[in-house]
């Protein structure tokens, strides 16, 4: 059964993620909690997400927590509505990272990666003949990675990420 972002209930901040994740339409997707929280709960109703991913059949996506090579993240795109923002974060990565809590800054300095795995999908879900990955949520994390790479700062060779594919 086809499920799109607009078919799902909006997150009710008063109820919280634990209630949202148990709503029948959300639970039927059988997605990992981190993916539900970062994408559907935190951003599912944002206009940019509806524009970029509104036609995507969410019921087809299966998630795997994977190690993704840094080479696959160097130029990874995001939705067209937010690509400029991803590029801005990369260009100003030091400033954006300075706004994050100390534990996030320490993770980059000590381990060369993020603390929370971002949400990526295979581009073939959106464009059937496309290869590679696309950032759904975690654009700031990926932008910081891209900026650190461009500036020759410490970045790990692999990074944990939730990867959705058909």
């Amino acid at each position: 059964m086809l499920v799109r972002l607009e078919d799902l209930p909006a997150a009710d901040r008063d109820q919280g993620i634990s209630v949202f994740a148990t709503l029948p339409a959300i639970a039927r997707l059988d997605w990992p909690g981190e993916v539900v929280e970062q994408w559907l709960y935190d951003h599912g109703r944002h206009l940019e997400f509806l524009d970029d991913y509104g036609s995507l059949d969410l019921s087809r996506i299966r998630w795997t927590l994977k190690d993704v090579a840094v080479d696959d993240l160097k130029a990874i795109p995001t939705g067209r509505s937010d690509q400029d923002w991803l590029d801005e974060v990369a260009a100003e990565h030091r400033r954006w990272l300075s706004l994050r809590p100390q534990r996030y800054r320490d993770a980059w300095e000590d381990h060369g990666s993020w603390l929370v795995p971002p949400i990526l999908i295979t581009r073939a879900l959106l464009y059937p003949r496309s290869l590679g990955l696309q950032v759904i949520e975690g654009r700031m994390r990926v932008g910081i990675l891209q900026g650190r790479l461009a500036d020759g700062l410490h970045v790990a060779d692999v990074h944990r990420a939730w990867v959705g594919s058909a």
Side-chain angles (χ1 to χ4, degrees):
M1 180 174 146
L2 179 72
V3 178
R4 294 195 174 114
L5 282 173
E6 66 186 24
D7 300 330
L8 299 176
D12 181 345
R13 297 293 177 185
D14 293 332
Q15 291 181 328
I17 181 62
S18 58
V19 171
F20 180 77
T22 62
L23 296 174
I26 304 299
R28 269 193 299 276
L29 290 172
D30 194 28
W31 285 11
E34 284 185 331
V35 176
V36 169
E37 183 171 5
Q38 288 186 61
W39 185 1
L40 304 179
Y41 184 75
D42 290 343
H43 300 289
R45 288 297 180 170
H46 291 182
L47 293 178
E48 296 86 1
F49 280 80
L50 292 169
D51 287 346
D52 292 342
Y53 307 110
S55 64
L56 189 59
D57 181 0
L58 304 178
S59 69
R60 294 181 47 222
I61 304 175
R62 295 296 165 251
W63 297 97
T64 308
L65 188 58
K66 293 185 174 185
D67 287 332
V68 179
V70 71
D71 287 344
D72 294 334
L73 300 166
K74 282 180 183 177
I76 189 173
T78 191
R80 66 185 175 278
S81 297
D82 276 335
Q83 186 63 49
D84 289 344
W85 192 78
L86 175 62
D87 297 339
E88 176 186 324
V89 171
E92 298 290 328
H93 66 93
R94 284 182 175 89
R95 181 175 74 84
W96 286 103
L97 187 55
S98 76
L99 300 173
R100 306 296 295 152
Q102 186 64 46
R103 69 183 184 276
Y104 294 98
R105 297 191 304 264
D106 291 345
W108 281 106
E109 291 303 318
D110 298 342
H111 307 291
S113 192
W114 42 65
L115 286 179
V116 178
I119 310 303
L120 315 176
I121 59 170
T122 57
R123 289 187 49 80
L125 283 169
L126 295 166
Y127 313 105
R129 295 190 179 138
S130 294
L131 301 174
L133 299 170
Q134 180 161 324
V135 181
I136 298 288
E137 175 45 19
R139 297 168 308 272
M140 184 183 296
R141 285 165 268 177
V142 171
I144 289 169
L145 177 143
Q146 291 174 347
R148 289 179 64 88
L149 275 171
D151 285 353
L153 299 173
H154 175 53
V155 175
D157 293 334
V158 295
H159 303 267
R160 295 295 275 173
W162 285 103
V163 178
S165 56

